[in-house]
């Protein structure tokens, strides 16, 4: 008898409600903490709430992984309606969430399969959607997990950050880099390489022209899987997001151009006016 499989993911994958429903993905939120109070990402707090509190209080929240005990309870609940669970996690180099999921999964041998996406935001979502498509086509849990281990290495995730303020205050870049970026109007490209965030090309100028140049350069090689691409942002103006989406659509490369809004976990680190392209390269 065919086993029933549930695909699950952390809230950091930034899947829209429409995509969650379409692909029947279960979502487990990470935590956003202001002072002594913690909130569930996307359930008890939104990115706009986060930015409003930062504006009024001047303090960035802390983000925290899902505890092992919560993972254990969550997996146990899902296994009441399925035989196996594949859970996709924020990259292990960026959070201890995957390690916690692995420890919890030891309680359910052969039933729970945590997957390190080695990515964040829509970089995770690309692997998750592909996994959901494989499941719909009849793949087993073991086949999906094995495929994801290769597929994740081809996910191309990068973002242009207008200001390093959030990265600096969150301890992810030093004061000198932040000062130089702001002084010279530099807009760095943050890339996910081997599961870690690193600084790529540094652009200079106003935000939209920089984004347009970034899109042009990022899509120049043409060596892509053409199913879909994400234009993901952390609170940009609609006109900017629309302009970038139209530019990507005009290339005619991708069958589907999806717009995603980064959730609280990602937004807390990069800040507003962050936008990136996330797609999959061919072998």
């Amino acid at each position: 008898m065919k086993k029933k499989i549930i695909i699950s993911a952390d809230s950091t994958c930034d899947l829209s409600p429409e995509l969650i429903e379409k692909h029947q993905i279960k979502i487990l939120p990470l935590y956003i903490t202001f002072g002594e109070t913690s909130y569930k990402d996307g359930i008890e707090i939104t990115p706009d709430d986060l930015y409003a509190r930062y504006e009024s209080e001047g303090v960035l929240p802390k983000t925290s992984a899902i505890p092992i005990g919560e993972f254990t309870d969550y997996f146990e609940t899902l296994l009441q309606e399925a035989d196996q669970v594949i859970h996709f996690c924020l990259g292990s180099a960026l959070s201890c969430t995957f390690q916690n999921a692995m420890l919890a999964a030891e309680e359910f041998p052969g039933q729970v399969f945590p997957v390190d996406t080695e990515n964040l935001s829509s970089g995770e979502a690309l692997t998750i959607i592909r996994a959901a498509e494989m499941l719909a086509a009849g793949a087993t849990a073991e086949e999906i997990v094995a495929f994801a281990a290769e597929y994740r290495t081809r996910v191309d995730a990068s973002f242009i950050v207008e200001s390093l303020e959030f990265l600096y205050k969150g301890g992810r870049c030093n004061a000198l880099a932040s000062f130089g970026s702001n002084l010279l109007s530099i807009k760095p490209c943050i890339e996910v390489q081997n599961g870690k965030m690193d600084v790529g090309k540094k652009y200079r100028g106003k935000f939209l022209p920089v984004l347009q140049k970034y899109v042009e350069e990022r899509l120049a090689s043409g060596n892509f899987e053409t199913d879909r691409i994400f234009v993901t942002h952390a609170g940009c103006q609609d006109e900017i997001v629309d302009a970038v989406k139209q530019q990507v659509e005009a290339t005619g490369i991708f069958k589907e151009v999806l717009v995603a809004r980064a959730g609280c976990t990602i937004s807390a680190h990069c800040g507003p006016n962050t936008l990136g392209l996330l797609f999959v390269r061919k072998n």
Side-chain angles (χ1 to χ4, degrees), residues 208 236-244:
L208 181 55
C236 296
Q237 295 176 354
D238 290 344
E239 312 87 80
I240 287 178
V241 177
D242 290 344
V244 172

Side-chain angles (χ1 to χ4, degrees), residues 144-163:
I144 292 169
V145 171
F147 178 84
E150 186 277 329
Y151 193 77
R152 68 189 178 190
T153 65
R154 296 188 280 117
V155 173
D156 189 301
S158 62
F159 301 85
I160 296 292
V161 183
E162 185 180 41
S163 168

